[in-house]
Amino acid sequence: MAATKVPPLTTAEASEYARRHVVTIRRALESRELHGEQRVPGGPWSIREECVDAYLAGAICEHKQNVVPITRARSARTA
């Protein structure tokens, strides 16, 4: 029997699921306390339920352990 795939949550759905304000969820995503994904910077978030569960438990979700944040190279400014 195949496992059913649960679709990712939006910030509003994660907010309702976690019983936290949507701004709290967005701040947790931006500070990387809560693991979520964006296809493009500034785009909508996709959040797995297990990531929300880990966030609520104060743990690091298994998906976040292998994630290396992408940083932009700073351009050299000339005066």
Side-chain angles (χ1 to χ4, degrees):
M1 182 176 207
T4 59
K5 189 172 182 177
V6 178
L9 304 172
T10 64
T11 51
E13 293 167 336
S15 170
E16 187 175 319
Y17 177 79
R19 302 180 92 187
R20 301 289 190 274
H21 196 276
V22 70
V23 173
T24 303
I25 296 297
R26 286 192 184 121
R27 286 180 180 161
L29 288 162
E30 291 169 1
S31 68
R32 296 195 170 108
E33 292 177 56
L34 172 58
H35 180 245
E37 299 172 349
Q38 287 179 304
R39 289 187 181 208
V40 295
W45 288 95
S46 295
I47 311 151
R48 296 181 184 190
E49 280 186 20
E50 54 266 27
C51 295
V52 177
D53 292 335
Y55 166 71
L56 293 174
I60 297 173
C61 74
E62 62 184 54
H63 307 103
K64 189 174 180 179
Q65 292 175 358
N66 298 324
V67 174
V68 177
I70 298 172
T71 57
R72 294 183 183 175
R74 290 188 174 195
S75 61
R77 288 188 155 184
T78 55

